[in-house]
Each structure stands twice: as C-alpha cells, then as structure tokens.
Amino acid sequence: MLSRYDVAVVGMGIVGLAHALAAARAGLKVVVIDREPAARGASIRNFGFVTVTGQARGEMWGLARRARDVWAEIAPAAGIAVEQSGLTVLAHRPEAQAVLEAFMTTEMAEGCALMSPQAVADRMDVTGLAPFRTALSSTHELRVEPRLALPALATWLRDRWGVAFMGATTVLNCETGRLSTSRGEVTAEAIFICSGDDLNGLFPEVLARHQVQRCKLQMLRLADPGRRLPTPIMADLSLARYEGYAALPEAQILLGRLREERGGLLDQGVHLIAVQSADGSLVVGDSHEYDASPDPFQRRDVDELILQALRESMPGYDTPAIERWIGFYAWSPLHPWFTEEVLPGVHMTVVTCGAGMSTGFAIGERVVAAANVSLKGAA
Ligand SMILES: Cc1cc2nc3c(=O)[nH]c(=O)nc-3n(C[C@H](O)[C@H](O)[C@H](O)COP(=O)(O)OP(=O)(O)OC[C@H]3O[C@@H](n4cnc5c(N)ncnc54)[C@H](O)[C@@H]3O)c2cc1C
C-alpha cells in the first residue's frame, strides 16, 4: 500500500502535532504516524503546564510566549479545558526572595508581580500553604490536562484540518520523500521527525551528535485536598532549577543554602510543581535522573522526597497518592532544542530540555516555515 501526502510527521506527541498544525494551516495535506494508537509518551505524562515565566532567558522565553498564545487560541476550538491560569512561586527563604527580586529587574518580569503573603491571601486560600516571605505571581501560564488535551488536539486536527492519522504504525526507515512503515510505504514532499526520546530508532547518529540522553521523572497524583488552587504552585527548589531564575547570579547563593539543607532532594533533581485538575486532584512532581537508558522503576524513596518538598511548601495538600507514574523526555547538555535537516526534505526536531508542552507550538511553526522551500514543491 502506498499513501501520498505533502507532509508526513513522525510522532503524535505535542511536538509532532505542533508541526502537523503548522503544516495544515499552510494548506498542506498532512499525515501523522505513530507507533502507538494514541499519544503515550512524555506529552501525556507531564503536568500539562505551559510555562513562560522561568523559561531560559532569550529564545526559550520567546518561544514559550508564542506557544502559550497558540494554546490559548486553539483550546476552545479543540474542546481543551484550561484548568488553571497563571503561576505562583512561593519564596520561603530570604535567598529565594532575593532571586525573585532580581528576576523582577529583568525583561522577563513583564506580566509578573511580587506579592506579599497578605496580597496572596486576598486572592486565594493560603491556609494550606507553609509560611512564605513573598510570592511571584505570573499571568502568562495556562494548564491543561495532558491526557485529555493530546487526544482532543489530534481529533481536532483530523476533523477541522483534515489531518490523517496512522496510529499503531512504526516508521522503520526514512529516505527523502519516503517512509517505510510497518503498514506500508508513505510518500511526502517534506518529512518532519518528532520522535521525542526514541534514541535508537530513526537517525540515532544525529541524536548522538546532539548528545541526546533520556531524563526519567517520577510523578504523583494526590487525592482532592478539598482546597482549590487557582494557579499552579512552585517554590524555592524550582528557583535553582528553572533556567530563567537559576541563571541569575542570586540563584547561586540560594543553591548553596539548598545544598546544605536539602542536598538529598537536589541529588535526585527534585523540585516542586503542584497543579490541580478539574476533579480537585493534584499532580505533583518531580524528580530528574539522566542516563542514555534509565531504568523503568519508580523508586519509593524518590516519591518520598517529592512529597517532602510538597509538605514543606504546601502541608495542607498532603493527601494520599492515587496514581504514580514515570515519564521520560529527551535531554541534551548542548541546547534546549534542535532541528536539523537530516536528509534533503527530512527534518528532525527534538525538544531536549523538558519544555515541549511550553514551546512545541512555536517550534513547530518555526520549523515548518523554514522548510518552505521544500514545501513549495508539494503545494
Ligand atoms: C513527567 C514529565 C513532566 C513534564 N512536565 C512538563 C511541563 O510541565 N511543561 C512542559 O513544557 N514540558 C514538560 N515536560 C516535557 C514535555 O512533556 C516534552 O518536552 C514533550 O512532551 C516532548 O514531546 P514530543 O512530541 O517530542 O515527545 P513524545 O510525547 O514522547 O512523542 C514522541 C512520539 O514519537 C513516537 N515515535 C518515536 N519513534 C517512532 C517511530 N519510529 N515510528 C512511529 N512513532 C514513533 C512515539 O511513539 C511518541 O508518541 C515534562 C515531561 C515529563 C516526562
């Protein structure tokens, strides 16, 4: 069987769907191919947290702003609920407060404000939170439920944009203009490979050159605490981890204190993100372990460290775990993402920093637009 398209996208994670959207909006006939019948990778295992504030200064921050705008635009049309908006970062330690104050002097402070505990209390129930010195309030973010959002996005791409999907189909080989799959041949003028953390499948030599490894993360869903969080919550540990804060000189002082006090959490890459779903349950994480091939086992001691971080910032939200899972994403020490034309008309794009939900739509737009020369032949 031979199927012909203008554009073939490998991978129905957020990065692949972002490329599919950009190509479909350009009027092209698009097929998305994935070895799974529906998204099962990083794109449904994450927080669904589209984060602007805290992204690395410069390109990533700009990409996140654009991607956030795309999410906000398409979510109503695609039937995707925005479950929370904005972000609150609690500063418990004076060193964390200093990081936030420094952040507020940068251009990234646009749309953000520092708030006293009283000002926060005027906006939300703070009785479940540990005492804090100040909080950063950001207006940019939005949060979707990824396990619902990704299928809804795929359905919308199919129904609204005519994108074809070939699920349960593994791409075995890729040449210019042609894919060999486990269900036959597909031809396309342009091919976008968005295979995420699959390091040993398509173009492993390209991934090796970009020093791509995998990052393993542990996540928990906690029972409804009976309180409502209008925004996702982060705290001190995140300020030493998210580049937009961590690259500020003040973050080194915070990191030094955290090393003394919470070295065990830092060793496991633990910091706190807590988001809330429509049913009141909380998604809480996460940890970070880097390896070419991390093991698939969920460690109880690491879960306990995540819960320790939760208790220190949000003791009133410490409810029983109702789900636990592991996620993996592609990671590189070289750069937060890359795109490369690996063969004429074949483009491989990988987000290598754990921010694909926050930047994927902007990256897809950029990569598809840059491939314009190839796409002209298909039009
Ligand atoms: C626990 C966790 C929390 C995270 N939190 C956030 C967050 O809050 N905010 C944020 O912005 N990002 C977050 N991320 C990162 C984000 O989820 C990823 O950057 C993003 O999902 C990567 O998308 P992707 O499409 O590249 O990969 P994936 O979602 O993994 O999709 C890749 C797809 O390619 C398919 N595939 C690969 N090879 C082949 C082949 N040969 N043939 C057919 N199909 C193939 C796979 O089956 C898979 O469906 C988190 C990640 C994890 C794991």
Side-chain angles (χ1 to χ4, degrees):
M1 192 182 80
L2 180 68
S3 308
R4 296 175 194 278
Y5 295 89
D6 298 328
V7 165
V9 178
V10 182
M12 65 163 96
I14 188 60
V15 176
L17 295 186
H19 283 70
L21 175 61
R25 279 179 159 172
L28 297 163
K29 187 180 171 198
V30 181
V31 64
V32 179
I33 308 167
D34 200 295
R35 66 161 60 97
E36 301 289 344
R40 287 285 177 269
S43 301
I44 63 154
R45 302 184 194 197
N46 60 43
F47 294 93
F49 188 22
V50 179
T51 319
V52 173
T53 297
Q55 296 295 348
R57 199 170 193 168
E59 183 190 40
M60 289 301 280
W61 187 69
L63 288 169
R65 284 166 67 99
R66 172 61 192 154
R68 183 276 325 275
D69 287 349
V70 176
W71 274 108
E73 176 200 342
I74 68 166
I80 297 171
V82 173
E83 313 224 344
Q84 289 176 296
S85 297
L87 162 68
T88 305
V89 186
L90 308 176
H92 301 288
R93 294 171 178 78
E95 293 84 353
Q97 179 170 4
V99 174
L100 290 183
E101 286 169 353
F103 179 86
M104 290 303 295
T105 68
T106 74
E107 74 286 358
M108 299 180 289
E110 192 261 318
C112 300
L114 277 191
M115 299 181 73
S116 67
Q118 185 53 55
V120 177
D122 291 343
R123 289 191 178 185
M124 62 188 270
D125 174 11
V126 294
T127 55
L129 304 179
F132 55 94
R133 306 176 70 88
T134 189
L136 179 79
S137 169
S138 168
T139 53
H140 298 298
E141 285 66 28
L142 56 85
R143 196 244 156 192
V144 300
E145 189 71 65
R147 61 184 69 179
L148 303 177
L150 266 285
L153 186 53
T155 301
W156 180 68
L157 284 169
R158 187 194 64 202
D159 296 348
R160 165 66 182 83
W161 293 100
V163 172
F165 283 86
M166 289 174 66
T169 302
T170 299
V171 175
L172 304 168
N173 190 41
C174 175
E175 300 162 21
T176 293
R178 177 179 295 265
L179 294 168
S180 302
T181 84
S182 53
R183 295 181 194 276
E185 301 277 302
V186 174
T187 64
E189 295 294 326
I191 296 171
F192 297 99
I193 299 182
C194 307
S195 46
D197 67 317
D198 188 329
L199 305 191
N200 305 312
L202 300 169
F203 302 101
E205 71 286 357
V206 173
L207 295 162
R209 188 157 32 74
H210 287 275
Q211 297 181 26
V212 181
Q213 306 176 33
R214 299 177 85 207
C215 178
K216 167 186 168 185
L217 301 88
Q218 295 194 187
M219 302 277 283
L220 301 99
R221 184 181 291 272
L222 308 183
D224 181 0
R227 306 169 185 273
R228 287 293 169 269
L229 284 175
T231 74
I233 300 285
M234 298 167 92
D236 293 14
L237 286 157
S238 308
L239 299 176
R241 178 156 201 100
Y242 266 56
E243 277 291 305
Y245 318 110
L248 299 169
E250 290 76 3
Q252 288 306 312
I253 301 166
L254 172 65
L255 185 61
R257 179 161 176 191
L258 290 171
R259 254 192 218 303
E260 280 175 20
E261 296 177 359
R262 299 290 178 265
L265 281 81
L266 292 181
D267 289 347
Q268 299 300 328
V270 168
H271 76 130
L272 175 68
I273 300 179
V275 301
Q276 192 163 40
S277 296
D279 65 359
S281 64
L282 298 182
V283 176
V284 174
D286 49 10
S287 58
H288 297 80
E289 180 188 335
Y290 303 92
D291 195 292
S293 183
D295 73 47
F297 306 117
Q298 180 127 9
R299 284 174 47 188
R300 189 171 168 174
D301 58 329
V302 173
D303 280 357
E304 280 307 312
L305 292 175
I306 295 169
L307 292 171
Q308 181 187 338
L310 175 83
R311 288 180 196 118
E312 286 178 7
S313 291
M314 308 171 63
Y317 292 82
D318 183 18
T319 54
I322 53 175
E323 284 182 350
R324 297 169 192 261
W325 68 94
I326 288 175
F328 299 95
Y329 62 66
W331 180 82
S332 165
L334 300 182
H335 32 229
W337 73 286
F338 72 87
T339 187
E340 183 172 325
E341 191 168 8
V342 292
L343 291 172
V346 178
H347 306 263
M348 179 174 230
T349 305
V350 187
V351 177
T352 49
C353 69
M357 284 296 270
S358 306
T359 55
F361 279 127
I363 287 172
E365 281 181 349
R366 189 184 288 189
V367 173
V368 170
N372 193 33
V373 177
S374 311
L375 296 176
K376 269 183 191 156

